[in-house]
Amino acid sequence: TLIYQITSGGPGAASQTLSVTANAPGSGTLTLSGTGTTPQADIAVSITDSRQFVQVGDTLNYVITVSNASGPATATVTVGDVLPASLTAGSWTCVPTGAATCTNGSGNVLSDVATLPAGTQVSYVYSATVQLSASEFIANSVTATVAAGVSDPNTANNMAADTPASLLTDSIVHY
């Protein structure tokens, strides 16, 4: 008798058991088992606005890039960015590479679920209008969270922050 059984241990993992039983007198059973490993995806995120100064009424465009350098056939990643209080009327467009997927949207909270096969990336342009605020600097950050069933060997690069842009509230003085 030969029995080979494979059972799911949840997303991304499997448990395998092989049992061999001899039907002759004095024979026994041999059982081999093992557990698969969780697939890995090296997800990284970056953000920049390429601006040092902005004024009230300006449109500030953040470029957010999320990539999967290596990993399973597909990694599902939640991309999140909450605009700071000095920005309003946010909207984003997303351009995927290869078989990656993502969506466009609007609002002061970017929350999108991107699908990233190994070696692909998605790039968002998140635009918002600068409004008068109590802060003289505009700082923004983004996170990329990998869905359950896939592990990331380097989670330190799953969050990124943009260098704060200075908000000019007075007239520009030329020297």
Side-chain angles (χ1 to χ4, degrees), residues 59-162:
T59 298
L60 191 55
N61 296 310
Y62 290 101
V63 176
I64 299 167
T65 303
V66 184
S67 62
N68 179 4
S70 63
T74 299
T76 302
V77 179
T78 300
V79 181
D81 182 350
V82 178
L83 289 178
S86 51
L87 297 174
T88 190
S91 65
W92 65 89
T93 57
C94 187
V95 177
T97 65
T101 63
C102 56
T103 59
N104 301 329
S106 63
N108 291 344
V109 177
L110 185 161
S111 181
D112 186 35
V113 177
T115 304
L116 294 164
T120 64
Q121 70 179 27
V122 294
S123 294
Y124 298 86
V125 176
Y126 194 8
S127 303
T129 303
V130 178
Q131 64 182 2
L132 191 59
S133 73
S135 175
E136 64 182 86
F137 295 102
I138 300 173
N140 192 12
S141 62
V142 63
T143 59
T145 306
V146 180
V150 176
S151 66
D152 188 340
N154 179 12
T155 58
N157 61 4
N158 292 12
M159 201 272 314
D162 181 59

Side-chain angles (χ1 to χ4, degrees), residues 5-19:
Q5 178 182 7
I6 188 166
T7 56
S8 175
S15 177
Q16 303 176 33
T17 303
L18 171 64
S19 295

